[in-house]
Amino acid sequence: MKAIKYDKKMHFVAGFIIALIALAITAFMWWLFESNTLIIKLGVTIAPILAGIAKEFWDMHKPNNKFDAIDMLFTWMGGAVIFIPVWFIN
């Protein structure tokens, strides 16, 4: 089995951290406004996806670099570690 490259691991960790920060922010907003938990679920799901897309578009404009969907997927998978369990909260 081929080892996962360092760059992919960093994308995974970044997605995890971004989702964790989004969870903290949206949970605070939910507590502050006593709103529906859907805000938490959507915020935690969307944040790593948007971060992955933004990072790849940023990379695309650098010399000798391109848009890498696999990097974006690893960012999203790191976030999935947080957002999948969050979707099971009532």
Side-chain angles (χ1 to χ4, degrees):
M1 187 169 144
K2 198 171 187 180
I4 297 174
K5 292 183 179 179
Y6 179 77
D7 179 54
K8 306 295 186 241
K9 291 177 186 176
M10 289 298 100
H11 276 274
F12 186 90
V13 170
F16 178 84
I17 291 170
I18 289 165
L20 205 55
I21 291 168
L23 177 61
I25 292 168
T26 55
F28 176 73
M29 292 185 68
W30 169 79
W31 173 79
L32 191 63
F33 300 115
E34 297 179 5
S35 59
N36 191 329
T37 58
L38 183 63
I39 291 172
I40 297 172
K41 295 172 183 177
L42 290 176
V44 172
T45 302
I46 292 170
I49 293 170
L50 289 179
I53 291 169
K55 172 67 168 78
E56 291 312 307
F57 274 108
W58 178 270
D59 286 349
M60 192 170 69
H61 295 292
K62 291 182 180 177
N64 302 322
N65 215 332
K66 61 180 174 44
F67 186 94
D68 189 353
I70 302 300
D71 282 352
M72 190 175 60
L73 178 66
F74 270 83
T75 306
W76 181 78
M77 287 182 349
V81 172
I82 300 295
F83 73 71
I84 288 175
V86 167
W87 277 96
F88 292 104
I89 295 173
N90 287 337

